[in-house]
Amino acid sequence: MKKLGLLVLSVFLLLGVVACDGFGGGGNSEKIDEVLDRLSSIVQDEYSKGEYYLYKEVTSDGTTYAITWSSNNSDALEVTSTVEEVEDMQQVKIIVKEVTAAVDVVLTAKIKSRTKDFNVKVLPQSVLTLDQFRSAANGLVVSFAGVVTHVYRGSNDRMDAFIQAKGNAGGILVYNVGAALQSKFVSGNEVVVTGTKDVAFGQHEIKDATAVSVVSEGNALEAKDFTKGADINNVNNQFALANITGVLKNKAKLTGKNNVVFASTDDQVEFDVRFENETWKLLQNEVAAGTKISVTKALISSYSSVPQLTLYNDDQITIGSLASAAELKALASAHFDSVIPNDNDNVVANVVLPTTAPYGASISWSSDKPTVMANDGTITRPSGADSEVVMTYTAKYGEESIGTGTVNFTVKQAVSTGELEAIFSFAFPKASDNNTSYSTATGISLTDGVSGSAVTIVDVHRVAFNHVTSQSITIPETWNSLVLSPRLESDGSAGTGNYNGVAYAIFNIGSVIKEISFDVRYWNTSAASFFSKVELQYKNGSGEWVTALDIKAMSDIPSDFSEATIAAGTCFKNVVQNVASFNASAFRLYAEGGKAGGNDARMMFDNIIFKA
């Protein structure tokens, strides 16, 4: 089966052959027959549903041969009267229609009185349902039908299109549409798209689209009302359109294209809103927590499992008045516990205890053992044995109590000097430190969570220190992480510089280490497939890096980051490695892999503890 396409290249190849063969003499039947025979190089043996072009004329040695095309079965393959200029060549459009079974069609080309028949086959179109598409394996060539809801245009003529299945179900993303197909993706067009199935950042998509046909135009965009946060983050609603009315959970000051977090009055609908145009200017000044906001026909998507609504037009968002005191009190009562930390039986550093909560609530704390853990979370590690501490919290809205409870902490006993060398929790104190990324750097200093002194990471490459303050799920003290992110050059080869498929962070503690522990997880469900190696390594006496632990070989490293896994304490895996036999003080976290043109290979590490 020949490749689908506009066949423009074949046109020029044929012209070259015609010119080389010296065709001429417009009335020469033998020469015309030879030209017709040459057409077999561009007529496909098989066609599937879509639009195609065949050239309408050929010019050689000053003589123009006009070609007339016809079909003996217009119900399966129709030759239209539409003629378009493609690469300076006149092209006639043919439409291959949807059939339920393979149909044999005779496609006839005519020059003057001479004709040539081509026997072609129209294949049935296998258009997948949304459920079938999502369950299809990556790499399969598939087709999907739906209505174009939005297109996103980036730099360098980049375009992505979003296709929603009829009935306001979810949909798919058509990633990086080729220039020849972009004109078909117009909001309201019902289309059939063929290309390669893929999943990236948890989003189901077609990449490398090869064909698209427009079934109808001007379809209304369907949207439905959402009231539950779980629905926004449900894969079944991915790329559907949503209407939602909610209340700002926290105040937002937007000074550029940015995100804002919402929560509705019916349920904790919390999600990022992403602005793809100038809409953000509506929120340029501070908008108070508790402000009512309505969003219409917003595109449901996600980024690294964080639910997200995308707005493309200014009229998709309405900023209303402040909610009433009664409404805000009800919201504060329903959501203050979202910031309360979980019980912790391994406290070795000061604990950050929240004093504010959503919708203007405040939280105060009281310790039953203030000499071990003060009311503000400052700890003094006891001698001789661990100490159990009960912290009582009281949440208030104004002066009125809206809830109380306790959190249990186990403060670990103090250790001998030098035994606990460093704890890296990567908790940056300022918003300006968010997502600090180092392509290649040396001498990066982080603070030891136990002693408060600075500890140096000697060298890093393709590493980020990720600090996210606006997430769909409250993540107490766990989202601040070191991220290894190997990436390949755009041509897929292991190139040089920042995109050589390698990432690492080197720690030189200065003392021989006897144990290392850390928490680890993949960035999302697809990240694991992009790594070829993830290891904990140590430097031996010869200065060589040697494998201490094959992290990638662990089959139980989690990738699901949700309320359930946080509540269960299973969103990270704790790894403890005895390294006393290595007699080393220099260790590194090392990864290889990546995907050309993307940061899909990402692994997060937190709470790295070295014991000497």
Side-chain angles (χ1 to χ4, degrees):
M1 177 173 162
K2 297 188 176 71
K3 296 287 186 180
L4 307 182
L6 295 180
L7 308 175
V8 174
L9 179 60
S10 297
V11 172
F12 285 104
L13 291 173
L14 178 61
L15 286 176
V17 173
V18 170
C20 291
D21 285 354
F23 293 147
N28 188 321
S29 298
E30 184 176 76
K31 294 297 184 184
I32 292 176
D33 287 342
E34 194 169 349
V35 171
L36 290 169
D37 288 338
R38 299 282 185 177
L39 296 179
S40 60
S41 65
I42 63 166
V43 176
Q44 296 177 198
D45 297 325
E46 298 175 337
Y47 288 87
S48 57
K49 183 179 178 180
E51 297 178 356
Y52 305 85
Y53 289 87
L54 298 172
Y55 60 87
K56 185 176 174 57
E57 59 184 28
V58 173
T59 300
S60 177
D61 296 337
T63 300
T64 298
Y65 297 90
I67 305 172
T68 302
W69 294 91
S70 61
S71 166
N72 74 333
N73 188 342
S74 295
D75 291 333
L77 189 155
E78 177 187 1
V79 178
T80 74
S81 59
T82 302
V83 177
E84 292 188 10
E85 193 87 2
V86 181
E87 298 287 350
D88 298 323
M89 296 293 297
Q90 292 292 309
Q91 303 284 326
V92 61
K93 180 168 71 174
I94 64 172
I95 299 176
V96 179
K97 302 177 181 180
E98 185 170 350
V99 295
T100 58
V103 177
D104 293 319
V105 177
V106 177
L107 187 60
T108 300
K110 182 178 181 181
I111 298 177
K112 295 186 181 296
S113 62
R114 314 296 291 179
T115 61
K116 174 73 174 181
D117 291 337
F118 299 92
N119 296 315
V120 302
K121 188 179 294 293
V122 175
L123 301 176
Q125 181 76 5
S126 179
V127 178
L128 301 184
T129 66
L130 187 57
D131 288 342
Q132 289 171 335
F133 184 91
R134 287 173 177 156
S135 62
N138 288 352
L140 288 180
V141 176
V142 297
S143 296
F144 183 81
V147 175
V148 180
T149 56
H150 291 293
V151 295
Y152 167 76
R153 292 189 177 274
S155 57
N156 300 321
D157 295 324
R158 157 78 180 278
M159 190 187 92
D160 297 334
F162 300 92
I163 311 298
Q164 179 180 336
K166 281 192 169 182
N168 195 39
I172 70 167
L173 165 68
V174 184
Y175 175 73
N176 198 12
V177 179
L181 302 179
Q182 290 185 6
S183 63
K184 307 294 178 63
F185 292 95
V186 176
S187 181
N189 278 5
E190 182 184 358
V191 297
V192 177
V193 187
T194 300
T196 304
K197 162 70 188 301
D198 194 25
V199 177
F201 301 107
Q203 299 186 148
H204 293 260
E205 64 182 40
I206 282 180
K207 66 177 184 179
D208 302 326
T210 56
V212 58
S213 60
V214 178
V215 178
S216 60
E217 301 176 351
N219 294 278
L221 302 184
E222 301 176 85
K224 64 180 179 181
D225 298 334
F226 283 82
T227 59
K228 293 186 179 296
D231 292 336
I232 299 294
N233 200 26
N234 187 332
V235 68
N236 293 324
N237 294 315
Q238 190 177 87
F239 302 126
L241 297 183
N243 301 324
I244 192 162
T245 299
V247 177
L248 274 182
K249 183 178 179 181
N250 301 298
K251 71 178 181 179
K253 182 182 177 71
L254 304 185
T255 57
K257 289 185 179 180
N258 211 325
N259 294 342
V260 62
V261 178
F262 284 58
S264 84
T265 56
D266 299 320
D267 184 32
Q268 191 177 1
V269 182
E270 194 174 325
F271 48 85
D272 288 346
V273 174
R274 175 181 175 182
F275 302 98
E276 290 295 353
N277 57 359
E278 298 302 301
T279 304
W280 63 270
K281 289 183 177 179
L282 296 173
L283 300 174
Q284 193 165 357
N285 299 315
E286 285 193 5
V287 180
T291 300
K292 295 180 178 179
I293 293 183
S294 295
V295 174
T296 59
K297 293 185 178 180
L299 182 72
I300 296 176
S301 59
S302 64
Y303 185 80
S304 294
S305 302
V306 178
Q308 177 176 273
L309 296 187
T310 301
L311 305 181
Y312 289 84
N313 302 308
D314 291 346
D315 59 1
Q316 286 183 271
I317 186 169
T318 301
I319 302 172
S321 59
L322 195 68
S324 68
E327 289 174 313
L328 290 175
K329 178 185 173 183
L331 285 166
S333 299
H335 302 306
F336 76 86
D337 57 356
S338 66
V339 301
I340 302 298
N342 296 320
D343 293 345
N344 189 337
D345 61 0
N346 188 34
V347 177
V348 292
N350 295 337
V351 177
V352 178
L353 298 172
T355 57
T356 60
Y359 305 105
S362 62
I363 301 176
S364 60
W365 295 85
S366 177
S367 171
D368 72 334
K369 295 180 181 177
T371 57
V372 178
M373 178 182 285
N375 293 342
D376 65 357
T378 301
I379 70 164
T380 301
R381 296 176 67 179
S383 300
D386 299 344
S387 180
E388 306 295 327
V389 180
V390 178
M391 298 293 293
T392 301
Y393 63 85
T394 301
K396 290 184 176 181
Y397 184 76
E399 296 301 317
E400 185 176 352
S401 176
I402 57 175
T404 188
T406 60
V407 181
N408 299 313
F409 296 94
T410 301
V411 180
K412 307 300 285 186
Q413 64 177 303
V415 294
S416 302
T417 302
E419 180 177 344
L420 191 61
E421 195 68 37
I423 296 179
F424 297 93
S425 63
F426 309 104
F428 293 97
K430 305 188 299 296
S432 60
D433 288 323
N434 287 6
N435 300 302
T436 303
S437 180
Y438 298 95
S439 292
T440 302
T442 58
I444 299 167
S445 181
L446 295 178
T447 300
D448 177 350
V450 177
S451 67
S453 60
V455 180
T456 299
I457 299 179
V458 178
D459 188 15
V460 298
H461 178 73
R462 291 293 298 165
V463 168
F465 300 115
N466 190 55
H467 178 50
V468 181
T469 57
S470 176
Q471 288 293 322
S472 65
I473 302 167
T474 300
I475 307 164
E477 303 177 40
T478 57
W479 191 258
N480 304 303
S481 303
L482 182 150
V483 184
L484 294 186
S485 179
R487 178 175 172 176
L488 295 173
E489 294 285 0
S490 59
D491 63 358
S493 64
T496 58
N498 293 336
Y499 303 113
N500 61 349
V502 171
Y504 54 80
I506 301 174
F507 300 81
N508 194 336
I509 303 304
S511 302
V512 175
I513 305 303
K514 66 178 183 180
E515 183 181 285
I516 297 174
S517 65
F518 52 86
D519 295 332
V520 61
R521 71 177 296 269
Y522 289 109
W523 184 269
N524 56 26
T525 54
S526 61
S529 63
F530 297 105
F531 283 97
S532 58
K533 179 184 289 187
V534 184
E535 293 182 350
L536 172 67
Q537 301 176 338
Y538 70 96
K539 184 172 283 189
N540 64 16
S542 301
E544 300 170 327
W545 289 108
V546 181
T547 301
L549 180 65
D550 186 344
I551 299 171
K552 179 175 169 56
M554 297 179 178
S555 60
D556 56 349
I557 297 177
S559 59
D560 176 22
F561 208 66
S562 63
E563 290 181 6
T565 59
I566 290 172
T570 57
C571 52
F572 278 80
K573 173 182 173 63
N574 180 250
V575 177
V576 179
Q577 175 70 16
N578 188 311
V579 296
S581 61
F582 302 140
N583 194 33
S585 60
F587 291 83
R588 72 175 180 177
L589 295 169
Y590 177 83
E592 293 180 2
K595 186 178 76 170
N599 297 317
D600 298 75
R602 285 185 283 188
M603 178 171 271
M604 300 167 63
F605 295 86
D606 200 7
N607 299 318
I608 302 175
I609 302 175
F610 295 89
K611 290 186 179 181

